[in-house]
């Protein structure tokens, strides 16, 4: 009863605001008008996870079974969910009662108070009301590891074989560190370095695959009056820095760093990260800091469209955001992962993704698992894609068109997926946010008002406090 009451209290909180394209709740990057999550910690590469041993069968539908699916309505709209539910019913015979709303927590709260829980909920972590986090914390969420070994309804493929590598190996889907999956990875958006592919073709330049190649290109571009780098706001350094940590030290270093391990910022891996960002600051277009705010950030993005800067960190939403902006002749969007530290090393692209899950109070868990398995079917993926919602399914880029085909092929083309975030701590105690400590100082590095060592000292000063005040 205490667990249920805690859930209901969260569900009754004030209406949350969807993340904007320039900043999330703490000023970090988030995809526009979607349920973009704020991750905690992660591990993962790009190899497909082998599904847990189980019979590749589908649970039989109960006679006259009807499940309730509750899905947050975002910029993708609600129509796609109705189409997917109808397709699922046509395939399995299981009826679906669909609930969608922009303020989903408020809608399903009263019914949960009466003991009537949805069977499937699509609601990511990172929202203001933290309803999903509350279910996770109270361990009131169903283990769906067996779904990875289920056959997708209507297909011969196994769910775990369809999901792209790394997406079921992160704490966002495996929150208890017990090797089991509790949340299904949903709609994702790769982040990376965006550039004018037309300019590279015109100049005969190659996209750098290592940081040494990046610095060499910076000198070449400088000779032609073009800066190597810009950024919309310092908030966009979250996805950049997370991918950088993965490329420098892999998942182990990332996990230790994002959990504020003692002495982590004195390691060679940390120093490499600091050195790269500080050097990149010297190649950044000089007007960037003055425009790196929520009102003028598009001016920094325009620098790339005008061939005044080569690269900027961003997400796939940039195409729509700058659709009406003027651009240089021959402009074509390009996107690349962060370069590897050494030749032959891994390049990483950070990704946002959402989650679907089964609450412990679901009365039709077998049918709910079938529904989650169906979300990775070719039919469901095509319906979602029409609305711009892309499932983390291998080779899905081949089914897309235009710029999206290029963007979402980044993991098919060798880049590894970086997922995760700094662990949450009681910011009221510490008085500063992650953005203020790690990312905002980049403006001062670019302007010359702060030294690299000042930046490092500021991080070390609060790291132990953050670890001591982690939210449990």
């Amino acid at each position: 009863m205490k667990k249920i009451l805690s859930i209901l209290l969260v569900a009754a909180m004030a209406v949350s605001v969807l993340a904007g394209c320039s900043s999330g709740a703490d000023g970090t990057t988030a995809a526009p008008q979607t349920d973009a999550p704020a991750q905690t910690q992660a591990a993962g590469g790009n190899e497909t996870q082998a599904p847990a041993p189980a019979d590749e069968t589908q649970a039989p539908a109960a006679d006259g079974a009807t499940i309730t699916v509750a899905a947050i309505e975002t910029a993708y709209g609600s129509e796609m969910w109705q189409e997917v539910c109808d397709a699922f019913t046509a395939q399995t015979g299981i009826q679906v009662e669909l609930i969608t709303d922009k303020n989903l927590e408020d809608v399903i709260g009263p019914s949960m108070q009466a003991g009537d829980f949805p069977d499937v909920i699509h609601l990511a972590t990172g929202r203001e009301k933290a309803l999903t986090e509350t279910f996770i914390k109270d361990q009131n969420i169903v283990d769906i590891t067996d779904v990875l070994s289920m056959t997708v309804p209507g297909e011969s493929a196994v769910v775990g074989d369809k999901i792209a590598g790394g997406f079921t190996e992160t704490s966002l889907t495996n929150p208890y560190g017990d090797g089991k999956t509790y949340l299904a990875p949903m709609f994702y958006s790769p982040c990376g370095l965006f550039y004018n592919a037309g300019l590279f073709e015109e100049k005969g330049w190659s996209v750098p695959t290592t940081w040494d190649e990046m610095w060499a290109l910076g000198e070449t571009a400088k000779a032609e009056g073009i800066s190597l780098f810009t950024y919309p706001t310092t908030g966009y350094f979250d996805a950049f820095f997370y991918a950088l940590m993965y490329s420098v030290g892999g998942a182990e270093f990332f996990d230790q760093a994002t959990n504020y391990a003692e002495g982590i910022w004195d390691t060679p891996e940390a120093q490499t990260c600091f050195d790269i960002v500080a050097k990149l600051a010297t190649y950044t277009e000089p007007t960037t800091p003055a425009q790196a705010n929520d009102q003028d950030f598009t001016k920094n993005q325009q620098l790339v469209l005008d061939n005044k800067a080569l690269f900027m960190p961003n997400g796939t939403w940039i195409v729509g955001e700058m659709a009406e902006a003027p651009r240089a002749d021959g402009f074509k969007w390009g996107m690349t992962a962060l370069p590897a530290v050494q030749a032959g090393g891994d390049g990483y692209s950070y990704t946002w993704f959402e989650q679907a899950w089964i609450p412990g109070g679901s009365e039709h868990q077998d049918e709910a698992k079938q529904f989650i398995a169906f979300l990775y079917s070719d039919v469901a993926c095509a319906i979602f894609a029409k609305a711009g919602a892309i499932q983390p399914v291998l080779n899905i880029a081949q089914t897309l068109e235009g710029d999206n085909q290029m963007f979402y092929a980044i993991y098919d083309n060798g880049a590894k997926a970086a997922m995760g975030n700094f662990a949450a701590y009681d910011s009221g105690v510490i008085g500063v946010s992650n953005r203020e400590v790690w990312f905002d100082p980049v403006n001062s590095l670019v302007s010359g008002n702060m030294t690299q060592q000042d930046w490092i000292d500021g991080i070390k000063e609060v790291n132990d406090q953050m670890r001591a005040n982690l939210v449990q």
Side-chain angles (χ1 to χ4, degrees), residues 360-372:
S362 166
E363 295 184 2
H364 307 288
Q365 294 183 13
D366 288 340
E367 291 78 14
K369 289 180 178 180
Q370 285 197 61
F371 183 82
I372 288 181

Side-chain angles (χ1 to χ4, degrees), residues 118-329:
D119 296 295
V120 177
I121 298 177
H122 174 258
L123 187 72
T125 55
R127 288 175 59 81
E128 184 176 343
K129 296 175 187 176
L131 182 61
T132 300
E133 287 89 337
T134 299
F135 271 82
I136 293 171
K137 182 178 179 180
D138 289 340
Q139 298 189 23
N140 197 18
I141 192 166
V142 174
D143 176 2
I144 59 170
T145 307
D146 56 341
V147 172
L148 299 177
S149 296
M150 289 175 60
T151 301
V152 177
E155 299 181 6
S156 60
V158 174
V159 173
D161 289 341
K162 297 196 72 171
I163 299 175
F167 282 90
T168 55
E169 302 164 15
T170 166
S171 63
L172 290 169
T173 53
N174 303 17
Y176 304 121
D178 58 0
K180 298 178 181 180
T181 299
Y182 293 82
L183 298 98
M186 292 290 289
F187 318 133
Y188 77 108
S189 177
C191 299
L193 298 178
F194 286 73
Y195 62 96
N196 178 5
L199 176 63
F200 276 67
E201 293 173 2
E202 175 189 334
K203 299 291 187 180
W205 295 339
S206 297
V207 176
T209 59
T210 67
W211 282 105
D212 284 342
E213 292 176 0
M214 181 70 84
W215 309 137
L217 178 61
E219 292 299 318
T220 299
K222 183 188 297 185
E224 300 202 21
I226 304 173
S227 295
L228 178 66
F229 189 70
T230 187
Y231 51 89
T233 71
T234 54
Y236 280 71
F237 269 91
D238 55 2
F240 178 96
F241 201 71
Y242 301 145
L244 180 62
M245 286 195 288
Y246 264 99
S247 65
V248 169
E252 182 178 358
F253 171 67
F254 178 87
D255 183 61
Q256 292 178 350
T258 53
N259 282 277
Y260 320 107
E262 185 175 0
I264 191 64
W265 303 112
D266 291 313
T267 62
E269 291 84 358
Q271 188 62 49
T272 299
C273 290
F274 294 140
D275 289 345
I276 288 174
V277 174
K279 188 167 185 176
L280 194 58
T282 67
Y283 283 99
T284 298
E285 210 281 336
T287 64
T288 297
Q291 299 170 163
N293 55 68
D294 291 344
Q295 292 72 45
D296 300 319
F297 71 96
T298 56
K299 294 180 180 178
N300 285 337
Q301 295 175 167
Q302 187 67 42
L303 293 173
V304 174
L305 277 70
D306 291 340
N307 290 338
K308 294 180 179 179
L310 292 187
F311 294 103
M312 66 173 165
N314 224 300
T316 54
W317 58 84
I318 183 64
V319 175
E321 194 169 64
M322 301 299 286
E324 304 302 321
R327 59 204 62 207
D329 292 341

Side-chain angles (χ1 to χ4, degrees), residues 345-362:
D346 293 323
Y348 277 87
S349 166
Y350 190 80
T351 185
W352 299 108
F353 71 91
E354 305 177 25
Q355 301 113 328
W357 43 280
I358 301 173
S362 166

Side-chain angles (χ1 to χ4, degrees), residues 82-136:
Q82 188 61 62
E83 286 189 55
V84 167
C85 290
D86 292 343
F88 174 72
T89 298
Q91 181 61 50
T92 65
I94 301 172
Q95 301 296 315
V96 179
E97 178 181 307
L98 177 64
I99 302 171
T100 61
D101 197 271
K102 294 179 180 178
N103 301 308
L104 186 65
E105 298 93 331
D106 297 331
V107 173
I108 63 178
S111 62
M112 290 195 298
Q113 187 173 11
D116 183 13
F117 290 82
D119 296 295
V120 177
I121 298 177
H122 174 258
L123 187 72
T125 55
R127 288 175 59 81
E128 184 176 343
K129 296 175 187 176
L131 182 61
T132 300
E133 287 89 337
T134 299
F135 271 82
I136 293 171

